[in-house]
Amino acid sequence: MRAVAALARGLAYITARCSSPRRGGESSGEMKISIIRHEAILDCGTYEVRFPDGRPSQYFYWEDIPGRQLRPDLVDSTTAERDAGAFARAEQDKLASQLGTET
């Protein structure tokens, strides 16, 4: 039951993040960077920072399983989301300055 709820939560997040730039951003000529949460395994996943200009995506890996040490370099989901958001904002500012628009 918990896995189903997590999957539904992840799909809702992906749908919201993928559909919002198309409604207001790309149709009006703006190029918006989007953040997509992926959680294939419960309590483990990535935040994908997707660029509208065709650059390869950047991934921020996270793991919320206490005591698991498969990859000690992984952070928790809150930290990964914050880092992905900060990176996306910085890249969006660079993109806006290159295009000469405000975000």
Side-chain angles (χ1 to χ4, degrees):
M1 190 60 134
R2 186 174 173 201
V4 173
L7 180 61
R9 199 173 57 243
L11 290 176
Y13 186 85
I14 290 169
T15 302
R17 296 303 262 168
C18 287
S19 62
S20 61
R22 289 189 179 93
R23 274 187 269 141
E26 293 174 16
S27 63
S28 65
E30 292 181 35
M31 294 177 50
K32 295 284 186 178
I33 294 174
S34 59
I35 300 173
I36 303 169
R37 178 186 169 119
H38 301 282
E39 187 174 4
I41 300 172
L42 188 62
D43 295 332
C44 297
T46 63
Y47 284 99
E48 175 186 3
V49 178
R50 187 175 290 174
F51 301 100
D53 58 359
R55 287 184 282 164
S57 296
Q58 291 288 324
Y59 294 90
F60 293 81
Y61 297 88
W62 58 272
E63 181 173 35
D64 285 341
I65 301 173
R68 184 169 157 178
Q69 292 296 318
L70 292 179
R71 290 190 52 195
D73 59 321
L74 292 182
V75 297
D76 63 356
S77 61
T78 306
T79 304
E81 183 177 21
R82 184 186 65 232
D83 293 347
F87 177 76
R89 278 189 298 280
E91 290 296 316
Q92 185 67 49
D93 290 343
K94 286 180 193 175
L95 186 62
S97 67
Q98 289 173 355
L99 297 175
T101 61
E102 286 292 318
T103 55

